[in-house]
Amino acid sequence: MQPINKMKIQFDSKSANEAFARVVVSAFASQLDPTLEELAELKTAVSEAVTNSIIHGYEQMEGIIYMECRLFPESIEVIVRDEGVGIEDIEKARTPTYTSKPELERSGMGFSVMESFMDTLEIQSKVGKGTAIIMTKKFSQQKDRSFSSER
Amino acid sequence: MVISTKQEKNVLTVFLKGELDHHSASRVKDAIDMEILKSSVRLLILDMTDVTFMDSSGIGLIVGRYHRIKSLGGKMQIANPNASLLRILKMSGIEKLMKIS
């Protein structure tokens, strides 16, 4: 299926850009008129993915994070990608409360949050090459469209 | 993130305002740990009335402070999280460690 709109950005792996990425995704997704709850879930999932790239992918060193979004009539696909160290054991990384960095007070809940707040989650990773998180979210279509189309 | 604190006897209340993510969590951590060192705290209350966003970095921060205060013989509570914060808090099982009101 062809997307109805798409965008691509890249930014430095700095923690200040976690909020930036959330705002960008939220602004782009707003075209589909999602509910506030759906937007909050999307922002949280994106925040987790970008934070993972910064802390784990680039191990808090310099790097570039790539974010791509595709809009479909009733859903959004978000890809967050880094060219960092990659994940050795994806199944282990997905285990709730498992963290490879307990010394940084990480909760190990990142992937669990992404899984539960989005509809699909795919992790592609290669050690030494990087990681891509591909996630999609459907938006409920039970809103009053006649009202929203007047904007 | 704006952090303010209030201490009454040995109850320390920390008021957070803004978005709690990995970026802001380290400042919150330092601020709380400094207050805990300054005086004896028996109860740490994290007031989240004005926290508009939180991801799993917030969970890491809360659990970290919980272990810290517990090792000093104190307790911790979370106050006034909004609905989406509450969802993440519950997902993490934090309500088994401390009271959320």
PDB file of all heavy atoms in Angstrom, chain A residues 89-114:
ATOM      1  N   ASP A  89      21.679 -10.215  21.201  1.00  0.00           N
ATOM      2  CA  ASP A  89      20.610 -11.174  21.440  1.00  0.00           C
ATOM      3  C   ASP A  89      19.276 -10.414  21.536  1.00  0.00           C
ATOM      4  O   ASP A  89      18.937  -9.870  22.588  1.00  0.00           O
ATOM      5  CB  ASP A  89      20.905 -11.931  22.746  1.00  0.00           C
ATOM      6  CG  ASP A  89      19.909 -13.056  22.992  1.00  0.00           C
ATOM      7  OD1 ASP A  89      18.818 -13.035  22.391  1.00  0.00           O
ATOM      8  OD2 ASP A  89      20.230 -13.941  23.803  1.00  0.00           O
ATOM      9  N   ILE A  90      18.561 -10.381  20.420  1.00  0.00           N
ATOM     10  CA  ILE A  90      17.329  -9.585  20.368  1.00  0.00           C
ATOM     11  C   ILE A  90      16.276 -10.126  21.330  1.00  0.00           C
ATOM     12  O   ILE A  90      15.595  -9.359  22.015  1.00  0.00           O
ATOM     13  CB  ILE A  90      16.785  -9.519  18.918  1.00  0.00           C
ATOM     14  CG1 ILE A  90      17.761  -8.706  18.041  1.00  0.00           C
ATOM     15  CG2 ILE A  90      15.400  -8.860  18.887  1.00  0.00           C
ATOM     16  CD1 ILE A  90      17.385  -8.619  16.579  1.00  0.00           C
ATOM     17  N   GLU A  91      16.148 -11.451  21.407  1.00  0.00           N
ATOM     18  CA  GLU A  91      15.145 -12.042  22.309  1.00  0.00           C
ATOM     19  C   GLU A  91      15.395 -11.622  23.760  1.00  0.00           C
ATOM     20  O   GLU A  91      14.474 -11.286  24.493  1.00  0.00           O
ATOM     21  CB  GLU A  91      15.151 -13.574  22.195  1.00  0.00           C
ATOM     22  CG  GLU A  91      14.379 -14.091  20.991  1.00  0.00           C
ATOM     23  CD  GLU A  91      13.066 -13.342  20.748  1.00  0.00           C
ATOM     24  OE1 GLU A  91      12.206 -13.336  21.659  1.00  0.00           O
ATOM     25  OE2 GLU A  91      12.910 -12.738  19.666  1.00  0.00           O
ATOM     26  N   LYS A  92      16.664 -11.634  24.145  1.00  0.00           N
ATOM     27  CA  LYS A  92      17.025 -11.235  25.503  1.00  0.00           C
ATOM     28  C   LYS A  92      16.701  -9.751  25.719  1.00  0.00           C
ATOM     29  O   LYS A  92      16.151  -9.361  26.750  1.00  0.00           O
ATOM     30  CB  LYS A  92      18.524 -11.472  25.705  1.00  0.00           C
ATOM     31  CG  LYS A  92      18.955 -11.536  27.149  1.00  0.00           C
ATOM     32  CD  LYS A  92      20.410 -12.016  27.184  1.00  0.00           C
ATOM     33  CE  LYS A  92      21.005 -11.959  28.561  1.00  0.00           C
ATOM     34  NZ  LYS A  92      22.461 -12.167  28.501  1.00  0.00           N
ATOM     35  N   ALA A  93      17.039  -8.935  24.715  1.00  0.00           N
ATOM     36  CA  ALA A  93      16.791  -7.495  24.824  1.00  0.00           C
ATOM     37  C   ALA A  93      15.301  -7.194  24.979  1.00  0.00           C
ATOM     38  O   ALA A  93      14.907  -6.220  25.608  1.00  0.00           O
ATOM     39  CB  ALA A  93      17.345  -6.764  23.600  1.00  0.00           C
ATOM     40  N   ARG A  94      14.461  -8.056  24.381  1.00  0.00           N
ATOM     41  CA  ARG A  94      13.012  -7.837  24.450  1.00  0.00           C
ATOM     42  C   ARG A  94      12.413  -8.291  25.772  1.00  0.00           C
ATOM     43  O   ARG A  94      11.279  -7.954  26.080  1.00  0.00           O
ATOM     44  CB  ARG A  94      12.319  -8.621  23.329  1.00  0.00           C
ATOM     45  CG  ARG A  94      12.419  -7.969  21.976  1.00  0.00           C
ATOM     46  CD  ARG A  94      11.706  -8.820  20.942  1.00  0.00           C
ATOM     47  NE  ARG A  94      10.357  -8.344  20.749  1.00  0.00           N
ATOM     48  CZ  ARG A  94       9.818  -8.150  19.529  1.00  0.00           C
ATOM     49  NH1 ARG A  94      10.498  -8.429  18.452  1.00  0.00           N
ATOM     50  NH2 ARG A  94       8.593  -7.699  19.404  1.00  0.00           N
ATOM     51  N   THR A  95      13.148  -9.083  26.541  1.00  0.00           N
ATOM     52  CA  THR A  95      12.620  -9.587  27.807  1.00  0.00           C
ATOM     53  C   THR A  95      12.317  -8.434  28.763  1.00  0.00           C
ATOM     54  O   THR A  95      13.185  -7.615  29.024  1.00  0.00           O
ATOM     55  CB  THR A  95      13.668 -10.515  28.484  1.00  0.00           C
ATOM     56  OG1 THR A  95      14.098 -11.472  27.536  1.00  0.00           O
ATOM     57  CG2 THR A  95      13.071 -11.219  29.697  1.00  0.00           C
ATOM     58  N   PRO A  96      11.067  -8.372  29.267  1.00  0.00           N
ATOM     59  CA  PRO A  96      10.723  -7.282  30.184  1.00  0.00           C
ATOM     60  C   PRO A  96      11.665  -7.234  31.377  1.00  0.00           C
ATOM     61  O   PRO A  96      12.001  -8.277  31.954  1.00  0.00           O
ATOM     62  CB  PRO A  96       9.295  -7.619  30.632  1.00  0.00           C
ATOM     63  CG  PRO A  96       8.750  -8.489  29.553  1.00  0.00           C
ATOM     64  CD  PRO A  96       9.924  -9.250  29.013  1.00  0.00           C
ATOM     65  N   THR A  97      12.077  -6.050  31.723  1.00  0.00           N
ATOM     66  CA  THR A  97      12.969  -5.692  32.836  1.00  0.00           C
ATOM     67  C   THR A  97      14.422  -6.147  32.655  1.00  0.00           C
ATOM     68  O   THR A  97      15.253  -5.876  33.503  1.00  0.00           O
ATOM     69  CB  THR A  97      12.461  -6.158  34.239  1.00  0.00           C
ATOM     70  OG1 THR A  97      12.653  -7.562  34.361  1.00  0.00           O
ATOM     71  CG2 THR A  97      10.996  -5.813  34.464  1.00  0.00           C
ATOM     72  N   TYR A  98      14.735  -6.799  31.513  1.00  0.00           N
ATOM     73  CA  TYR A  98      16.155  -7.085  31.268  1.00  0.00           C
ATOM     74  C   TYR A  98      16.824  -5.816  30.767  1.00  0.00           C
ATOM     75  O   TYR A  98      16.314  -5.146  29.872  1.00  0.00           O
ATOM     76  CB  TYR A  98      16.356  -8.194  30.217  1.00  0.00           C
ATOM     77  CG  TYR A  98      17.811  -8.254  29.769  1.00  0.00           C
ATOM     78  CD1 TYR A  98      18.770  -8.883  30.556  1.00  0.00           C
ATOM     79  CD2 TYR A  98      18.230  -7.608  28.601  1.00  0.00           C
ATOM     80  CE1 TYR A  98      20.107  -8.871  30.187  1.00  0.00           C
ATOM     81  CE2 TYR A  98      19.577  -7.598  28.229  1.00  0.00           C
ATOM     82  CZ  TYR A  98      20.505  -8.233  29.018  1.00  0.00           C
ATOM     83  OH  TYR A  98      21.830  -8.208  28.662  1.00  0.00           O
ATOM     84  N   THR A  99      17.950  -5.459  31.347  1.00  0.00           N
ATOM     85  CA  THR A  99      18.741  -4.359  30.801  1.00  0.00           C
ATOM     86  C   THR A  99      20.216  -4.731  30.793  1.00  0.00           C
ATOM     87  O   THR A  99      20.700  -5.411  31.698  1.00  0.00           O
ATOM     88  CB  THR A  99      18.537  -3.030  31.569  1.00  0.00           C
ATOM     89  OG1 THR A  99      19.390  -2.028  30.994  1.00  0.00           O
ATOM     90  CG2 THR A  99      18.858  -3.161  33.062  1.00  0.00           C
ATOM     91  N   SER A 100      20.902  -4.304  29.733  1.00  0.00           N
ATOM     92  CA  SER A 100      22.340  -4.544  29.660  1.00  0.00           C
ATOM     93  C   SER A 100      23.091  -3.449  30.427  1.00  0.00           C
ATOM     94  O   SER A 100      24.292  -3.526  30.599  1.00  0.00           O
ATOM     95  CB  SER A 100      22.796  -4.569  28.198  1.00  0.00           C
ATOM     96  OG  SER A 100      22.464  -3.348  27.565  1.00  0.00           O
ATOM     97  N   LYS A 101      22.347  -2.418  30.860  1.00  0.00           N
ATOM     98  CA  LYS A 101      22.997  -1.313  31.558  1.00  0.00           C
ATOM     99  C   LYS A 101      22.301  -0.962  32.889  1.00  0.00           C
ATOM    100  O   LYS A 101      21.784   0.135  33.063  1.00  0.00           O
ATOM    101  CB  LYS A 101      23.023  -0.064  30.651  1.00  0.00           C
ATOM    102  CG  LYS A 101      23.746  -0.302  29.323  1.00  0.00           C
ATOM    103  CD  LYS A 101      24.410   0.954  28.811  1.00  0.00           C
ATOM    104  CE  LYS A 101      25.029   0.779  27.444  1.00  0.00           C
ATOM    105  NZ  LYS A 101      26.096  -0.226  27.383  1.00  0.00           N
ATOM    106  N   PRO A 102      22.314  -1.907  33.831  1.00  0.00           N
ATOM    107  CA  PRO A 102      21.667  -1.620  35.123  1.00  0.00           C
ATOM    108  C   PRO A 102      22.353  -0.476  35.874  1.00  0.00           C
ATOM    109  O   PRO A 102      21.718   0.230  36.649  1.00  0.00           O
ATOM    110  CB  PRO A 102      21.776  -2.948  35.882  1.00  0.00           C
ATOM    111  CG  PRO A 102      22.881  -3.693  35.225  1.00  0.00           C
ATOM    112  CD  PRO A 102      22.908  -3.252  33.795  1.00  0.00           C
ATOM    113  N   GLU A 103      23.650  -0.288  35.617  1.00  0.00           N
ATOM    114  CA  GLU A 103      24.385   0.777  36.319  1.00  0.00           C
ATOM    115  C   GLU A 103      23.857   2.166  35.947  1.00  0.00           C
ATOM    116  O   GLU A 103      24.038   3.129  36.663  1.00  0.00           O
ATOM    117  CB  GLU A 103      25.898   0.666  36.031  1.00  0.00           C
ATOM    118  CG  GLU A 103      26.367   1.043  34.624  1.00  0.00           C
ATOM    119  CD  GLU A 103      26.117  -0.033  33.542  1.00  0.00           C
ATOM    120  OE1 GLU A 103      25.475  -1.049  33.860  1.00  0.00           O
ATOM    121  OE2 GLU A 103      26.558   0.173  32.404  1.00  0.00           O
ATOM    122  N   LEU A 104      23.165   2.256  34.814  1.00  0.00           N
ATOM    123  CA  LEU A 104      22.596   3.541  34.407  1.00  0.00           C
ATOM    124  C   LEU A 104      21.155   3.685  34.883  1.00  0.00           C
ATOM    125  O   LEU A 104      20.428   4.569  34.444  1.00  0.00           O
ATOM    126  CB  LEU A 104      22.659   3.688  32.877  1.00  0.00           C
ATOM    127  CG  LEU A 104      24.048   3.756  32.248  1.00  0.00           C
ATOM    128  CD1 LEU A 104      23.945   3.896  30.732  1.00  0.00           C
ATOM    129  CD2 LEU A 104      24.853   4.925  32.802  1.00  0.00           C
ATOM    130  N   GLU A 105      20.731   2.789  35.765  1.00  0.00           N
ATOM    131  CA  GLU A 105      19.362   2.801  36.275  1.00  0.00           C
ATOM    132  C   GLU A 105      18.333   2.695  35.155  1.00  0.00           C
ATOM    133  O   GLU A 105      17.322   3.385  35.155  1.00  0.00           O
ATOM    134  CB  GLU A 105      19.105   4.044  37.139  1.00  0.00           C
ATOM    135  CG  GLU A 105      19.953   4.077  38.395  1.00  0.00           C
ATOM    136  CD  GLU A 105      19.499   5.130  39.401  1.00  0.00           C
ATOM    137  OE1 GLU A 105      18.749   6.029  39.021  1.00  0.00           O
ATOM    138  OE2 GLU A 105      19.911   5.022  40.562  1.00  0.00           O
ATOM    139  N   ARG A 106      18.617   1.833  34.204  1.00  0.00           N
ATOM    140  CA  ARG A 106      17.635   1.593  33.143  1.00  0.00           C
ATOM    141  C   ARG A 106      16.648   0.558  33.658  1.00  0.00           C
ATOM    142  O   ARG A 106      17.034  -0.391  34.346  1.00  0.00           O
ATOM    143  CB  ARG A 106      18.324   1.048  31.873  1.00  0.00           C
ATOM    144  CG  ARG A 106      19.455   1.912  31.332  1.00  0.00           C
ATOM    145  CD  ARG A 106      19.036   3.314  31.047  1.00  0.00           C
ATOM    146  NE  ARG A 106      17.854   3.375  30.199  1.00  0.00           N
ATOM    147  CZ  ARG A 106      17.112   4.463  30.060  1.00  0.00           C
ATOM    148  NH1 ARG A 106      17.376   5.552  30.733  1.00  0.00           N
ATOM    149  NH2 ARG A 106      16.076   4.438  29.274  1.00  0.00           N
ATOM    150  N   SER A 107      15.391   0.729  33.290  1.00  0.00           N
ATOM    151  CA  SER A 107      14.360  -0.179  33.818  1.00  0.00           C
ATOM    152  C   SER A 107      14.240  -1.466  32.998  1.00  0.00           C
ATOM    153  O   SER A 107      13.666  -2.444  33.460  1.00  0.00           O
ATOM    154  CB  SER A 107      13.013   0.535  33.823  1.00  0.00           C
ATOM    155  OG  SER A 107      12.589   0.784  32.500  1.00  0.00           O
ATOM    156  N   GLY A 108      14.759  -1.461  31.777  1.00  0.00           N
ATOM    157  CA  GLY A 108      14.609  -2.638  30.928  1.00  0.00           C
ATOM    158  C   GLY A 108      13.204  -2.786  30.371  1.00  0.00           C
ATOM    159  O   GLY A 108      12.827  -3.840  29.881  1.00  0.00           O
ATOM    160  N   MET A 109      12.433  -1.702  30.436  1.00  0.00           N
ATOM    161  CA  MET A 109      11.035  -1.754  29.999  1.00  0.00           C
ATOM    162  C   MET A 109      10.820  -1.184  28.597  1.00  0.00           C
ATOM    163  O   MET A 109       9.692  -1.146  28.105  1.00  0.00           O
ATOM    164  CB  MET A 109      10.163  -0.947  30.979  1.00  0.00           C
ATOM    165  CG  MET A 109      10.095  -1.489  32.385  1.00  0.00           C
ATOM    166  SD  MET A 109       9.115  -2.982  32.469  1.00  0.00           S
ATOM    167  CE  MET A 109       7.535  -2.314  31.958  1.00  0.00           C
ATOM    168  N   GLY A 110      11.883  -0.708  27.977  1.00  0.00           N
ATOM    169  CA  GLY A 110      11.752  -0.012  26.691  1.00  0.00           C
ATOM    170  C   GLY A 110      10.979  -0.775  25.628  1.00  0.00           C
ATOM    171  O   GLY A 110       9.988  -0.285  25.095  1.00  0.00           O
ATOM    172  N   PHE A 111      11.416  -1.999  25.345  1.00  0.00           N
ATOM    173  CA  PHE A 111      10.736  -2.770  24.296  1.00  0.00           C
ATOM    174  C   PHE A 111       9.320  -3.161  24.719  1.00  0.00           C
ATOM    175  O   PHE A 111       8.418  -3.215  23.886  1.00  0.00           O
ATOM    176  CB  PHE A 111      11.553  -4.002  23.904  1.00  0.00           C
ATOM    177  CG  PHE A 111      12.704  -3.682  22.989  1.00  0.00           C
ATOM    178  CD1 PHE A 111      14.004  -4.074  23.305  1.00  0.00           C
ATOM    179  CD2 PHE A 111      12.503  -2.987  21.807  1.00  0.00           C
ATOM    180  CE1 PHE A 111      15.072  -3.766  22.468  1.00  0.00           C
ATOM    181  CE2 PHE A 111      13.561  -2.669  20.958  1.00  0.00           C
ATOM    182  CZ  PHE A 111      14.846  -3.060  21.296  1.00  0.00           C
ATOM    183  N   SER A 112       9.127  -3.433  26.012  1.00  0.00           N
ATOM    184  CA  SER A 112       7.774  -3.767  26.487  1.00  0.00           C
ATOM    185  C   SER A 112       6.815  -2.600  26.263  1.00  0.00           C
ATOM    186  O   SER A 112       5.671  -2.791  25.853  1.00  0.00           O
ATOM    187  CB  SER A 112       7.787  -4.092  27.981  1.00  0.00           C
ATOM    188  OG  SER A 112       8.702  -5.112  28.241  1.00  0.00           O
ATOM    189  N   VAL A 113       7.313  -1.387  26.524  1.00  0.00           N
ATOM    190  CA  VAL A 113       6.481  -0.199  26.317  1.00  0.00           C
ATOM    191  C   VAL A 113       6.164  -0.037  24.820  1.00  0.00           C
ATOM    192  O   VAL A 113       5.018   0.179  24.437  1.00  0.00           O
ATOM    193  CB  VAL A 113       7.184   1.066  26.872  1.00  0.00           C
ATOM    194  CG1 VAL A 113       6.460   2.329  26.429  1.00  0.00           C
ATOM    195  CG2 VAL A 113       7.262   1.002  28.393  1.00  0.00           C
ATOM    196  N   MET A 114       7.182  -0.197  23.984  1.00  0.00           N
ATOM    197  CA  MET A 114       6.953  -0.074  22.530  1.00  0.00           C
ATOM    198  C   MET A 114       5.934  -1.101  22.072  1.00  0.00           C
ATOM    199  O   MET A 114       5.023  -0.800  21.307  1.00  0.00           O
ATOM    200  CB  MET A 114       8.269  -0.282  21.771  1.00  0.00           C
ATOM    201  CG  MET A 114       9.220   0.886  21.864  1.00  0.00           C
ATOM    202  SD  MET A 114      10.708   0.588  20.866  1.00  0.00           S
ATOM    203  CE  MET A 114      11.965   0.514  22.114  1.00  0.00           C
TER     204      MET A 114
END
